[in-house]
Amino acid sequence: MAEKTVGKPIKRTEDPRLIQGLAHYVDDIRLPDTLHAVFLRSIYAHARIKSIDTTAAQKLPGVVAVYTGKDVAKIGPVPCAAALPDLKVPDHRALASTKVYFVGHPVAVVVAESKSAARDAVDLIEVDYQELPVALDEEKAADAKSPVIHEQFGTNVAYKLTAGEGDIEAALKSADQVIKQRILHKRLAPIAMETRGVLARYYPGEQELTLWTSTQIPHLCRTQVAIMLGMPENKLRLITPEVGGGFGSKLNVYAEEALMGWISMQLNRPVKWIEGRRENMQATIHGRGQTGYIEIGFKKDGTLTGLRYNVFADMGSYFQLLTPAIPTLTGLMLSGCYKIPAIQINVTGVFTNKMSTDAYRGAGRPEATYVVERALDLVAAELKKDPVEVRRKNFPQPNEFPFKTATGLFYDSGNYQGALDKALKMADYTKLRQDQQTARKEGRLMGIGVSTYVEICALGPSAAMPAGGWESATVRVEPTGKVTVLTGASPHGQGEETSFAQIAADELGVGVNDVTVIHGDTAIVQYGIGTFGSRGLAVGGTAVYLAIQKLKDKAGKIAAHLLQVDASTISFAEGKFTSSAAAGKQITIQEVTLAAHVAKSLPEDMEPGLAATSFFEPKNFTFPFGTHIAVVEINKETGEIDFQRYVAVDDCGKQINPMLVEGQIHGGIVQSMGQALYEEVVYDDQGQLITGTLMDYALPKAIMIPHLELGSTETPSPVNPLGAKGVGEAGTIGATPAIVSAIVDALAPYGVRHLDMPLKPEVLWQIINKKSAGAA
Amino acid sequence: MKIEGTQKIDAPRALMFAALIDPAVLQKCIPGCEQMEKTGENQYSAKLTAGVGPVKGVFNATVSLEDIIAPEHYKLVVEGKGQPGFVKGSGELNLTDAGSATDIQYTGEVNVGGLIASVGQRMIQATANMLAGRFFKSLESEMKAQAKLPADS
Amino acid sequence: MIPASFDYIAAKSLDEAISLLATHKDDAKILAGGHSLLPAMKLRLMQPKVLIDLGRIKELSYIKEEAGQLRIGAMTTHFQVETSDLLRRVCPLLPETATQLGDMQVRNKGTIGGSVAHSDPAADWPAAILALDAEIVATSARGDRVIKATSFFVEMLTTALEPGEILREIRIPGGKGKSGQAYVKVRHPASGFAVVGVAVNLAADGGKCQSAGVGITGVSPKAYRAANVESGLKGNALDAKTLSAAAAHAADGVDINSDLYASAEYRKQLATVYTRRALEIAASRLK
Ligand SMILES: Cc1cc2nc3c(=O)[nH]c(=O)nc-3n(C[C@H](O)[C@H](O)[C@H](O)COP(=O)(O)OP(=O)(O)OC[C@H]3O[C@@H](n4cnc5c(N)ncnc54)[C@H](O)[C@@H]3O)c2cc1C
């Protein structure tokens, strides 16, 4: 009997192949006769294409084809799944034809026998552009005087949307005080370690197309690419080999995916495109990108009365899969983990001459948490109260769950006090505040930041999702007793090959190594939705669990038949079926499996085999939460930030594997530190992307990260039988406000109450320097 | 991106100004300018090989002189396109007497696009300053050379 | 990220490399560790037709004491400098600089000669080379030419090396008296290169500063010796006040870089603060 593993920190079974370089990414798949594609991309942010001359490129030895916009007009538009009222949807084609809208916009693609021939040919394509004025800043671009990007709309405003419940005007009026604050969420680049890549192979005889692509959503991508190509969906097989990170950037359907399929069909040869890092910066979606205005109303005792958030959301020039929907998630989470009787969000989605924004780890929710947490800090500062006290004052109590927010959500379960208390204790908060007093007396700039957050995970009930929010699993016990799990979720770094195997192993009484988890091949795995929105375990894992229950039910009946007892007397534990009617008799799952497959003695009318499929539809989202505390000291002479402590207590419901949970939290916090301190996609005033490489776009590195002290509480979710909530995005949601808050707190002696990210040392130094100079 | 500065050159203002709008002089002074052909009134097409150290690109450029108010002001506009992207520079030059010499006060705006913009961020400002520096250095030696020539040439 | 096509020749000796360079002239580039050259080629910022690889020439990789000098072969990797027992003993500034350069992979492949020849405005080595008053030996068909570090760095990405010349060796004069050295740097959060890097080489006798070499990189289009800092130290007792007053001159008389990460104003401040820190560390190490 194998040892139970659920709840234990077992090592990831996928790691050995990753660490040893034995994994296969798209670029590792080599097919004979493969052609290579390289794109010519716009170097202008906004221009009319007067002419394109590909003659010289076509003549270069090794070049097989050069395609421009008009050649690929038959390929359908790049899909946007977000449906919003009165949404203006630009016609987004695989290649630009009359105008280019952003630096990186694909204009032509060269297909050649070698990568270098294709790349050489790109330089030979002559494009005559007529430059046009640019619209870059989301707020200014919304103005009627701005240059218009999509002429047919006559405006850059893609949509306006108001959401929220309660009488916001009355709520703000009833407040003792209202604070307003402008707040920026700069654009970030997701920077998956593996850039995008596509390999397409058309089989003309079978009229089938196989697409290897680095995506988080193999099935949805298959459906959409089939529609774009006008081919039967069941003639398209989509395979995601190893995916080297996505962070939302591969929760998408990209022009390049359909285009490679189309080219392979034109040329009857495999064709491969591997995105370069500079391309990845320019033409893979960005995250965040909001300019917002907060209004928060509150009573003298700190009780919140209402919150309004007016926000200009930067769409970029086109919609990708979920672009316009991302700010709506911000709206959903504006209540944070607080009771706010009235909430309103007014979103203006704005086209700009930049790459599209879309889901990046957290997708709209980090923005919400940041807004709410900054707002609470402002309230605390105004009332001269401890920020912890103001938070506590507004928490719903554990017995108030499911808790209804003024954004229309029902939080499943929670104990916000519990996580906060634990974090305060770990950090020794009272002592920290005393230390801060001492530091201030000594003229040192020490700051403490606390963020209490809640996030919306396990996306989601289908009713709330653009394309279904369920997940699928098939579990098979093979004749030899080995277990195969086919999951519609598509793990790409989260460790679900391990956690799903743990669930299956424990449920079936086999070892984790007896279980294989298969995903990411539409010809093998039943239709599924994919991995994003911290849904893998809570939705996909639940499907695995439920499939196993069905399977065990059937196995139980076979066991009863073999033990010659009534099925109602059968119970299953530790891999063995026993019967209350026949003491001492037992039969193992392996024996039952074999019997199910040789099928010589099965209950009447029972089908042979032992496999079951489940499509799990969750009834609600889940709402993980926690408290993050950052402690910093800022160097007065240079503005450099020294992290003294970082404490995080996260509650993601039941933990299947605490080591995976820690890994996700670590990664999330690190990305948060990136956002808070370093990262920013910068376009200059001409729309040139000047953080074009990793020499300028600063990703946090291990040496830049302080020791992270992690703790957790476990409040099970009632939404699924695993009690799991999800943890993939928690770190990026909880950490950013804590870090900013700590830095702002450190600078409080200079009268600072808010600063916009990224908090580069120079920004801090300028404040310290100017104020000191002013005081002197 | 902005560049600005003041340069004192030991030449009388009228002479200085004449040189600054003389295509032959400009060709010698615009860094990397290999040829310059007149295409219209105060308009030229040019070939530039510009860059720093081993990192150089060839640009097909246009050079135009605008807002000419002799002998005190004009605007020099250079726009080039090439494999590494595009460069657009415009500079307003104001000349004032400084005794027998001339002060040239300049403010310019430089924009780059394409590859150079996306990879060159950290060196672009310094490069622009450097190229402006070279322009004036060449100008200075040109004026010195002119001063040595007989006055009527 | 696909370079233009080029020919590759692995030179077997320095003489062969010199003659290959003489043959191919401007079409050729020397390949050392490739950690500056190859990225530039992949971006097609450089498109040499021929690469002459020095990687197989063993005679260019050494660290030794000779004629009262330290001599370091051009092809010595950053890692070899970092881990050299000899250097740790007699010139710890060099290993201390190497430790802060790039990451492990870069240090394993990149060479001191390649870095100095490339002369990136934010490279670490130039600061140390200047502070140590080093000499650079360039070699060509015409023989060796010895160039002072102070005249070697001409401007951004441009050195005193002439066409056809190969950087063969770096020579560092032997120290006299007690010496204290230090290298400190502000790493750019993206590239890891020096936003500001300050190398200090102090010698003192009887509590007074006898000589001071202060090399600064990252601040200006080329690395420089901070002459006013040095003159503020020489002949003085190295107390906190002196160090701080001298450090205030760290960016005197140079054009100061500005980029997305640090404006000229802020860079100047960093230069001042980090120069003071480097001086303090170096002074504390005087022995
Ligand atoms: C990720 C990364 C991070 C880095 N971080 C840093 C950092 O923090 N600090 C830092 O200082 N550097 C850094 N570097 C640069 C690194 O130090 C390079 O190795 C170094 O700048 C060049 O040395 P190389 O041996 O790789 O030279 P190569 O790249 O081979 O050559 C560079 C140039 O010098 C010429 N050249 C090379 N050797 C000679 C010679 N002997 N004679 C004449 N010409 C020659 C070449 O032709 C070429 O033009 C980093 C590089 C990378 C890729």
Side-chain angles (χ1 to χ4, degrees):
Chain A
M1 165 48 215
E3 218 182 298
K4 295 266 186 216
T5 61
V6 168
K8 298 209 177 112
I10 67 164
K11 285 192 182 170
R12 301 186 349 149
T13 53
E14 43 275 81
D15 282 347
R17 71 171 188 267
L18 295 172
I19 292 167
Q20 295 174 81
L22 298 174
H24 289 83
Y25 299 86
V26 173
D27 202 21
D28 296 313
I29 296 167
R30 307 275 155 98
L31 302 177
D33 288 335
T34 298
L35 295 169
H36 299 269
V38 176
F39 284 88
L40 171 72
R41 295 180 182 275
S42 172
I43 56 170
Y44 293 101
H46 196 192
R48 204 173 298 286
I49 299 176
K50 292 202 286 192
S51 65
I52 306 181
D53 184 355
T54 61
T55 331
Q58 245 145 353
K59 282 196 194 130
L60 193 78
V63 171
V64 175
V66 182
Y67 300 108
T68 63
K70 62 179 187 324
D71 303 317
V72 302
K74 283 226 176 74
I75 303 176
V78 176
C80 171
L84 295 172
D86 300 322
L87 182 66
K88 297 190 179 65
V89 184
D91 189 20
H92 181 184
R93 297 295 168 151
L95 295 173
S97 53
T98 55
K99 272 176 82 179
V100 287
Y101 293 121
F102 63 98
V103 167
H105 195 164
V107 172
V109 58
V110 178
V111 187
E113 299 287 348
S114 71
K115 269 192 197 178
S116 36
R119 175 63 186 81
D120 286 348
V122 163
D123 282 349
L124 299 177
I125 301 174
E126 302 249 356
V127 187
D128 192 5
Y129 293 104
Q130 179 202 343
E131 272 185 86
L132 297 169
V134 292
L136 295 165
D137 174 88
E138 58 267 23
E139 199 172 357
K140 291 188 194 128
D143 195 282
K145 290 191 288 287
S146 166
V148 171
I149 297 171
H150 301 288
E151 290 147 43
Q152 69 275 30
F153 301 143
T155 169
N156 293 323
V157 175
Y159 70 98
K160 285 191 178 218
L161 184 128
T162 295
E165 295 172 8
D167 185 342
I168 185 68
E169 296 297 343
L172 293 176
K173 256 193 213 113
S174 74
D176 290 335
Q177 218 177 325
V178 175
I179 295 180
K180 297 185 183 183
Q181 178 64 52
R182 183 171 191 260
I183 191 166
L184 302 181
H185 315 259
K186 299 277 177 66
R187 266 184 184 242
L188 304 178
I191 317 274
M193 186 109 65
E194 182 207 18
T195 57
R196 291 183 293 139
V198 188
L199 169 63
R201 177 180 200 170
Y202 185 60
Y203 299 83
E206 295 83 348
Q207 300 191 358
E208 282 176 12
L209 175 66
T210 301
L211 215 57
W212 289 261
T213 183
S214 187
T215 183
Q216 299 172 226
I217 45 167
H219 283 94
L220 298 179
C221 191
R222 179 190 69 171
T223 303
Q224 292 300 332
V225 170
I227 293 170
M228 288 172 80
L229 296 179
M231 72 184 296
E233 181 173 9
N234 53 3
K235 292 286 187 190
L236 174 57
R237 175 181 184 182
L238 195 141
I239 302 173
T240 60
E242 206 76 65
V243 173
F247 308 111
S249 71
K250 296 170 183 170
L251 160 56
N252 230 306
V253 179
Y254 285 99
E256 291 91 344
E257 291 172 313
L259 202 49
M260 290 308 122
W262 182 84
I263 293 171
S264 180
M265 291 164 87
Q266 301 299 305
L267 303 175
N268 283 331
R269 286 179 64 179
V271 57
K272 186 189 264 186
W273 167 70
I274 300 296
E275 185 184 51
R277 183 59 70 192
R278 227 161 52 83
E279 256 182 324
N280 180 256
M281 289 291 215
Q282 294 184 345
T284 290
I285 62 101
H286 295 153
R288 319 283 190 258
Q290 292 186 3
T291 298
Y293 293 85
I294 303 174
E295 283 170 81
I296 182 125
F298 53 98
K299 297 280 189 196
K300 282 202 186 73
D301 68 353
T303 308
L304 304 175
T305 63
L307 171 66
R308 177 153 55 200
Y309 184 50
N310 293 335
V311 58
F312 295 89
D314 180 356
M315 305 280 101
S317 59
Y318 280 128
F319 294 150
Q320 283 285 343
L321 194 61
L322 300 167
T323 305
I326 303 302
T328 66
L329 286 169
T330 308
L332 276 182
M333 289 313 291
L334 276 180
S335 195
C337 46
Y338 311 107
K339 295 179 174 181
I340 309 179
I343 293 176
Q344 187 182 63
I345 183 169
N346 296 298
V347 185
T348 307
V350 189
F351 294 117
T352 58
N353 287 116
K354 297 184 259 181
M355 178 57 198
S356 314
T357 54
D358 206 313
Y360 166 56
R361 201 168 190 177
R365 295 108 84 206
E367 291 89 319
T369 305
Y370 187 65
V371 163
V372 179
E373 290 306 293
R374 293 304 311 131
L376 265 92
D377 275 4
L378 291 171
V379 171
E382 186 62 30
L383 296 173
K384 301 199 167 51
K385 285 184 189 295
D386 189 306
V388 169
E389 193 189 321
V390 177
R391 285 171 170 79
R392 233 187 251 288
K393 177 106 203 148
N394 292 285
F395 279 160
Q397 299 306 306
N399 59 10
E400 289 179 76
F401 289 87
F403 172 73
K404 182 173 182 312
T405 68
T407 59
L409 294 171
F410 286 90
Y411 290 174
D412 58 341
S413 63
N415 179 357
Y416 304 151
Q417 292 79 353
L420 174 62
D421 288 339
K422 183 160 181 179
L424 294 177
K425 192 155 173 247
M426 280 171 66
D428 201 349
Y429 185 73
T430 320
K431 169 90 175 20
L432 283 177
R433 286 289 176 202
Q434 288 161 2
D435 292 350
Q436 185 180 36
Q437 288 308 318
T438 315
R440 282 189 179 158
K441 274 191 206 114
E442 294 169 7
R444 287 184 291 121
L445 303 176
M446 175 182 171
I448 305 159
V450 180
S451 122
T452 55
Y453 75 92
V454 59
E455 55 160 339
I456 181 168
C457 284
L459 311 187
S462 295
M465 301 281 293
W470 45 269
E471 196 48 270
S472 71
T474 294
V475 179
R476 297 197 302 248
V477 189
E478 312 291 358
T480 53
K482 300 290 176 193
V483 178
T484 305
V485 174
L486 310 177
T487 172
S490 193
H492 48 279
Q494 295 82 0
E496 287 149 16
E497 287 178 29
T498 308
S499 57
F500 288 10
Q502 285 177 266
I503 294 170
D506 277 20
E507 284 299 312
L508 292 170
V510 300
V512 169
N513 293 330
D514 293 323
V515 184
T516 289
V517 178
I518 295 176
H519 55 84
D521 183 341
T522 62
I524 297 177
V525 179
Q526 70 292 332
Y527 206 93
I529 304 296
T531 292
F532 55 86
S534 301
R535 68 193 306 275
L537 177 67
V539 190
T542 300
V544 172
Y545 175 85
L546 293 176
I548 294 172
Q549 305 315 311
K550 285 190 197 172
L551 183 143
K552 284 203 292 196
D553 191 49
K554 176 173 181 179
K557 289 185 182 135
I558 300 173
H561 178 75
L562 296 173
L563 293 174
Q564 296 179 323
V565 296
D566 191 86
S568 65
T569 68
I570 285 286
S571 55
F572 178 72
E574 309 196 332
K576 296 182 202 80
F577 292 92
T578 51
S579 164
S580 55
K585 276 203 194 176
Q586 62 173 44
I587 184 164
T588 65
I589 180 95
Q590 288 81 7
E591 290 168 305
V592 171
T593 307
L594 192 60
H597 282 91
V598 299
K600 296 200 191 301
S601 172
L602 289 178
E604 211 169 321
D605 298 333
M606 178 170 284
E607 294 175 359
L610 195 53
T613 297
S614 173
F615 287 76
F616 171 61
E617 170 66 52
K619 294 218 162 48
N620 189 3
F621 303 100
T622 62
F623 296 88
F625 57 90
T627 297
H628 285 220
I629 300 177
V631 184
V632 301
E633 188 165 324
I634 297 169
N635 184 303
K636 273 189 165 170
E637 284 186 313
T638 62
E640 289 166 305
I641 299 156
D642 178 33
F643 274 93
Q644 304 192 317
R645 300 281 298 279
Y646 196 95
V647 174
V649 172
D650 293 273
D651 190 322
C652 59
K654 269 289 199 218
Q655 299 192 5
I656 303 297
N657 183 333
M659 194 190 284
L660 292 182
V661 170
E662 273 200 10
Q664 290 297 311
I665 300 279
H666 276 156
I669 294 174
V670 168
Q671 276 181 315
S672 252
M673 289 188 172
Q675 174 174 19
L677 305 179
Y678 317 108
E679 293 183 48
E680 178 183 6
V681 172
V682 183
Y683 287 89
D684 72 5
D685 55 11
Q686 312 279 306
Q688 294 292 327
L689 176 65
I690 56 174
T691 46
T693 73
L694 295 178
M695 287 286 282
D696 290 304
Y697 186 89
L699 285 183
K701 326 282 186 301
I703 51 161
M704 294 146 86
I705 303 302
H707 174 64
L708 307 175
E709 303 166 56
L710 304 189
S712 64
T713 56
E714 237 183 47
T715 309
S717 171
V719 175
N720 61 64
L722 299 175
K725 290 193 167 192
V727 72
E729 293 152 299
T732 48
I733 290 169
T736 318
I739 298 162
V740 173
S741 172
I743 292 166
V744 168
D745 186 46
L747 295 178
Y750 296 96
V752 174
R753 287 205 180 163
H754 176 74
L755 290 171
D756 284 315
M757 303 179 283
L759 298 172
K760 295 189 197 173
E762 173 161 8
V763 174
L764 311 186
W765 175 75
Q766 293 286 8
I767 291 167
I768 298 164
N769 190 36
K770 297 243 156 77
K771 292 284 164 65
S772 313
Chain B
M1 189 178 28
K2 299 236 174 323
I3 48 170
E4 54 186 6
T6 308
Q7 188 80 28
K8 189 197 273 310
I9 292 183
D10 194 7
R13 179 153 70 130
L15 218 60
M16 191 67 249
F17 195 85
L20 273 171
I21 56 171
D22 176 353
V25 174
L26 285 177
Q27 183 186 333
K28 281 190 216 159
C29 298
I30 294 173
C33 186
E34 280 163 17
Q35 65 189 54
M36 211 158 111
E37 273 163 30
K38 192 168 171 126
T39 54
E41 178 72 10
N42 291 323
Q43 301 262 356
Y44 306 89
S45 74
K47 203 173 143 207
L48 306 178
T49 303
V52 271
V55 182
K56 282 204 178 71
V58 179
F59 298 87
N60 290 316
T62 57
V63 176
S64 43
L65 313 182
E66 299 171 7
D67 308 341
I68 301 179
I69 310 169
E72 58 196 48
H73 172 91
Y74 88 110
K75 188 171 167 191
L76 177 64
V77 181
V78 181
E79 298 197 356
K81 274 185 203 173
Q83 186 267 330
F86 63 83
V87 186
K88 290 189 222 167
S90 66
E92 308 260 356
L93 286 82
N94 289 305
L95 282 65
T96 45
D97 294 323
S100 62
T102 309
D103 270 340
I104 307 175
Q105 181 267 329
Y106 62 95
T107 49
E109 175 78 36
V110 179
N111 287 302
V112 296
L115 178 65
I116 20 184
S118 71
V119 306
Q121 202 282 318
R122 69 191 179 105
M123 296 196 198
I124 277 297
Q125 180 79 52
T127 307
N129 293 341
M130 199 179 83
L131 295 178
R134 274 194 211 160
F135 175 83
F136 287 111
K137 210 165 181 182
S138 310
L139 193 61
E140 199 168 6
S141 26
E142 176 63 22
M143 295 319 285
K144 271 195 195 130
Q146 283 195 6
K148 286 199 190 109
L149 293 176
D152 60 356
S153 73
Chain C
M1 295 299 276
I2 304 156
S5 64
F6 57 88
D7 284 333
Y8 167 90
I9 311 171
K12 283 180 250 5
S13 66
L14 184 57
D15 286 344
E16 189 191 349
I18 291 169
S19 83
L20 283 167
L21 198 53
T23 312
H24 295 284
K25 299 205 168 61
D26 278 0
D27 283 345
K29 276 259 135 212
I30 295 290
L31 174 66
H35 271 51
S36 290
L37 181 56
L38 297 187
M41 286 172 62
K42 285 180 169 184
L43 291 166
R44 299 200 172 201
L45 286 169
M46 291 197 215
Q47 308 194 4
K49 298 207 171 64
V50 183
L51 286 191
I52 303 166
D53 188 0
L54 305 184
R56 312 263 169 98
I57 309 176
K58 295 253 160 30
E59 60 192 273
L60 283 178
S61 172
Y62 54 84
I63 301 170
K64 63 186 179 194
E65 279 178 305
E66 206 173 287
Q69 292 176 320
L70 269 172
R71 296 186 168 179
I72 303 175
M75 289 299 290
T76 308
T77 62
H78 309 319
F79 175 79
Q80 286 167 327
V81 175
E82 184 183 4
T83 53
S84 158
D85 288 334
L86 171 63
L87 291 180
R88 283 183 183 175
R89 236 179 330 106
V90 304
C91 190
L93 175 59
L94 291 171
E96 189 172 14
T97 304
T99 313
Q100 297 178 59
L101 187 158
D103 52 39
M104 190 66 97
Q105 289 93 323
V106 174
R107 296 198 290 273
N108 278 338
K109 283 301 279 182
T111 67
I112 188 166
S115 174
V116 171
H118 188 61
S119 182
D120 188 294
D124 295 298
W125 284 129
I129 300 290
L130 285 163
L132 291 167
D133 221 358
E135 291 169 346
I136 284 121
V137 182
T139 188
S140 68
R142 298 179 299 276
D144 279 357
R145 186 163 76 96
V146 179
I147 310 164
K148 284 240 143 236
T150 38
S151 44
F152 186 78
F153 302 104
V154 174
E155 60 183 25
M156 195 163 50
L157 302 179
T158 310
T159 68
L161 285 178
E162 278 165 17
E165 280 186 332
I166 293 178
L167 193 167
R168 184 169 75 70
E169 186 178 79
I170 292 164
R171 294 179 178 169
I172 292 150
K176 16 184 183 348
K178 290 183 180 180
S179 81
Q181 306 178 328
Y183 184 67
V184 297
K185 138 184 209 192
V186 182
R187 290 176 74 93
H188 187 282
S191 69
F193 274 82
V195 176
V196 169
V198 185
V200 172
N201 180 33
L202 298 177
D205 201 16
K208 291 253 161 78
C209 177
Q210 227 183 9
S211 72
V214 179
I216 300 186
T217 188
V219 172
S220 192
K222 62 169 184 172
Y224 61 93
R225 268 184 81 149
N228 290 354
V229 177
E230 295 174 358
S231 60
L233 299 169
K234 263 177 254 169
N236 292 327
L238 294 169
D239 53 33
K241 225 174 124 197
T242 308
L243 300 184
S244 167
H249 298 285
D252 280 5
V254 296
D255 286 337
I256 305 177
N257 294 336
S258 85
D259 59 18
L260 264 185
Y261 184 71
S263 68
E265 184 192 11
Y266 180 57
R267 242 195 191 80
K268 183 173 176 196
Q269 169 73 4
L270 289 177
T272 306
V273 173
Y274 276 78
T275 299
R276 194 196 68 222
R277 287 187 197 167
L279 291 175
E280 284 166 359
I281 299 170
S284 75
R285 289 175 179 168
L286 275 170
K287 50 179 185 277

